[in-house]
Amino acid sequence: HPLRKAKNLLLTPHLGASTHEAKQNVSIEMARQVALCLQKGIALNGVNVPRIAPSDAAQVGPYLSLVHNLATFLVQAFPGQLRSLRLSAQGGIPESALRPLCVSMVVGALKPSTAGAITPVNAERIAKDRGVRVHAETSTLKRDFMNLVRVEADIEGTLHFATGTVLGH
């Protein structure tokens, strides 16, 4: 490039993130994100997991646990072969949160019947390998709550569902 030959130009590598302060700030932010993931199951910048926007994390976090627990409840209350899962989110739950919520639901549904580790990284693949269809949708709220989630499980041809919301903070 012609700029490389300019006599009055000095080119250096980008070293902005190599300062002591920058390294310290990155370390603190990484520790915060690890703690958030361990405490609430929210992986803000995970490579192999569905991403939740930081602006949505506080609102969506409690619903991750809720859909996980609803799915776990259904497969334990109604034993049999799981054929499909459907997640319906109503109200102000952002559409961008649908996939992370769906993955949390799948993890909850598969964990009780699996000897190996089911994680947000491998849950969708394991569900597909087992022939479990997974679907998620959002709609406007039809109830008296701010937000509502419904997990529906087809277990041996019979539909079972559980609905829940998060109250307070």
Side-chain angles (χ1 to χ4, degrees), residues 76-154:
Q76 289 180 349
F78 305 100
Q81 182 182 357
L82 179 63
R83 294 183 181 173
S84 69
L85 290 165
R86 175 184 295 269
L87 171 68
S88 299
Q90 296 179 1
I93 297 172
E95 193 166 332
S96 62
L98 217 51
R99 183 160 179 248
L101 289 169
C102 198
V103 168
S104 185
M105 171 186 69
V106 173
V107 171
L110 295 181
K111 259 192 178 172
S113 64
T114 304
I118 302 289
T119 69
V121 174
N122 65 13
E124 291 174 303
R125 181 188 50 79
I126 292 171
K128 184 177 179 182
D129 290 348
R130 292 184 183 178
V132 177
R133 294 179 317 278
V134 178
H135 179 74
E137 62 191 12
T138 59
S139 64
T140 57
L141 193 62
K142 300 172 187 160
R143 311 246 177 179
D144 295 331
F145 299 99
M146 293 278 297
N147 301 305
L148 200 68
V149 291
R150 174 183 163 128
V151 173
E152 186 176 285
D154 178 342

Side-chain angles (χ1 to χ4, degrees), residues 48-103:
N48 296 337
V49 293
R51 188 176 185 285
I52 297 174
S55 59
D56 296 334
Q59 178 188 8
V60 174
Y63 287 93
L64 290 169
S65 298
L66 179 60
V67 298
H68 179 277
N69 292 339
L70 292 174
T72 300
F73 167 74
L74 287 173
V75 298
Q76 289 180 349
F78 305 100
Q81 182 182 357
L82 179 63
R83 294 183 181 173
S84 69
L85 290 165
R86 175 184 295 269
L87 171 68
S88 299
Q90 296 179 1
I93 297 172
E95 193 166 332
S96 62
L98 217 51
R99 183 160 179 248
L101 289 169
C102 198
V103 168

Side-chain angles (χ1 to χ4, degrees), residues 1-89:
H1 193 277
L3 283 177
R4 290 181 170 264
K5 296 177 183 170
K7 301 260 188 236
N8 59 349
L9 179 67
L10 175 64
L11 299 173
T12 64
H14 174 64
L15 298 173
S18 295
T19 66
H20 174 72
E21 294 83 4
K23 288 178 181 178
Q24 183 177 357
N25 290 339
V26 168
S27 299
I28 291 170
E29 182 57 28
M30 286 175 59
R32 283 186 181 134
Q33 288 186 27
V34 168
L36 181 65
C37 185
L38 293 174
Q39 292 169 353
K40 298 187 178 183
I42 300 171
L44 292 178
N45 294 305
V47 175
N48 296 337
V49 293
R51 188 176 185 285
I52 297 174
S55 59
D56 296 334
Q59 178 188 8
V60 174
Y63 287 93
L64 290 169
S65 298
L66 179 60
V67 298
H68 179 277
N69 292 339
L70 292 174
T72 300
F73 167 74
L74 287 173
V75 298
Q76 289 180 349
F78 305 100
Q81 182 182 357
L82 179 63
R83 294 183 181 173
S84 69
L85 290 165
R86 175 184 295 269
L87 171 68
S88 299

